[in-house]
Amino acid sequence: KNEVEQSPQNLTAQEGEFITINCSYSVGISALHWLQQHPGGGIVSLFMLSSGKKKHGRLIATINIQEKHSSLHITASHPRDSAVYICAPSDNNDMRFGAGTRLTVKP
Amino acid sequence: EAQVTQNPRYLITVTGKKLTVTCSQNMNHEYMSWYRQDPGLGLRQIYYSMNVEVTDKGDVPEGYKVSRKEKRNFPLILESPSPNQTSLYFCASSHTPDTQYFGPGTRLTVL
């Protein structure tokens, strides 16, 4: 069993839809990161969270430490949100990576 | 501008020809790391460094070397590259522990 499981692997949405990407992990962590990888390959860190919930603009990330589960939500999705989203739980700086969720938002 | 830079961005080389991929950050971060990304395998950590002169192996260190002589630089060295090291490589840095900043990536092809 993988240490980090993301679902779905692929997601296609219409512009404006509410998006949820899920991440379950089996390792002990000090924090969990959500990363965004653009079609050109560049990686941007969206969130680092260790408890509760964080919000940046239309993006919301939540984590439940007891259940070892995190979700990334995108409200009012837009074609520019099309990217691969990667969940990365970490124990200090020892990071593990999910396989990623490829999101395509159609206009 | 705060950034992580990598050079070269693209490299095609032949088996056995030593190469170095440079990584530099201007944010005074203690922590730096190298990852490789392969289709179907995702990102995997090669080496990391908690500070100057402190380096440690990640998940896939075989065939790679690193050094951390200065805080800002963390070069990745392939002494004798092989085709299975064809990959997309990312350097990242952060204050420990904190949000990681990723470099733009280096696409390496070993023939």
Side-chain angles (χ1 to χ4, degrees), chain A residues 4 23 25 27 29 31-33 87-91 94-98:
Chain A
V4 186
C23 174
Y25 54 91
V27 295
I29 69 166
L32 185 139
H33 304 251
C87 167
S90 68
D91 183 8
D94 181 16
M95 291 180 84
R96 296 284 183 259
F97 298 91

Side-chain angles (χ1 to χ4, degrees), chain B:
Chain B
E1 181 192 349
Q3 60 182 352
V4 179
T5 56
Q6 292 179 228
N7 282 292
R9 295 288 313 280
Y10 303 91
L11 179 61
I12 301 174
T13 189
V14 294
T15 298
K17 186 176 181 183
K18 181 180 178 179
L19 67 93
T20 299
V21 184
T22 64
C23 174
S24 184
Q25 51 94 4
N26 62 1
M27 295 167 278
N28 203 35
H29 287 163
E30 301 87 12
Y31 177 84
M32 297 184 75
S33 62
W34 276 103
Y35 303 94
R36 62 178 286 175
Q37 186 178 38
D38 302 288
L41 297 175
L43 283 158
R44 293 179 292 170
Q45 190 176 54
I46 303 170
Y47 269 95
Y48 64 95
S49 169
M50 302 292 282
N51 214 323
V52 175
E53 301 292 0
V54 181
T55 63
D56 211 343
K57 295 177 181 179
D59 294 323
V60 288
E62 295 78 21
Y64 304 95
K65 284 174 57 178
V66 292
S67 69
R68 188 88 181 274
K69 294 187 171 65
E70 308 162 281
K71 201 170 189 179
R72 64 184 294 125
N73 296 323
F74 190 44
L76 180 70
I77 303 155
L78 285 71
E79 294 269 4
S80 183
S82 62
N84 65 13
Q85 292 178 298
T86 293
S87 188
L88 179 58
Y89 291 87
F90 288 99
C91 178
S93 75
S94 67
H95 287 301
T96 314
D98 205 339
T99 301
Q100 290 208 22
Y101 292 82
F102 286 81
T106 294
R107 191 168 293 280
L108 172 66
T109 302
V110 183
L111 302 174

Side-chain angles (χ1 to χ4, degrees), chain A residues 69-86:
Chain A
H69 182 269
S70 177
S71 294
L72 177 68
H73 306 284
I74 305 175
T75 61
S77 60
H78 190 276
R80 65 175 174 267
D81 297 326
S82 297
V84 175
Y85 292 84
I86 302 168

Side-chain angles (χ1 to χ4, degrees), chain A:
Chain A
K1 188 180 189 308
N2 290 337
E3 293 176 317
V4 186
E5 300 266 3
Q6 280 187 242
S7 63
Q9 287 186 321
N10 294 283
L11 180 57
T12 301
Q14 288 298 130
E15 183 173 356
E17 285 186 5
F18 181 84
I19 304 292
T20 295
I21 298 170
N22 294 301
C23 174
S24 295
Y25 54 91
S26 58
V27 295
I29 69 166
S30 56
L32 185 139
H33 304 251
W34 280 101
L35 310 175
Q36 180 191 54
Q37 185 166 27
H38 295 284
I43 297 176
V44 174
S45 181
L46 297 174
F47 293 102
M48 186 189 79
L49 63 164
S50 53
S51 65
K53 175 174 152 178
K54 283 191 176 179
K55 184 175 188 292
H56 290 158
R58 294 180 295 104
L59 273 61
I60 303 165
T62 63
I63 188 167
N64 185 318
I65 297 291
Q66 287 74 29
E67 294 187 4
K68 296 193 171 185
H69 182 269
S70 177
S71 294
L72 177 68
H73 306 284
I74 305 175
T75 61
S77 60
H78 190 276
R80 65 175 174 267
D81 297 326
S82 297
V84 175
Y85 292 84
I86 302 168
C87 167
S90 68
D91 183 8
N92 290 317
N93 287 111
D94 181 16
M95 291 180 84
R96 296 284 183 259
F97 298 91
T101 295
R102 184 175 299 277
L103 171 66
T104 303
V105 182
K106 296 186 174 179

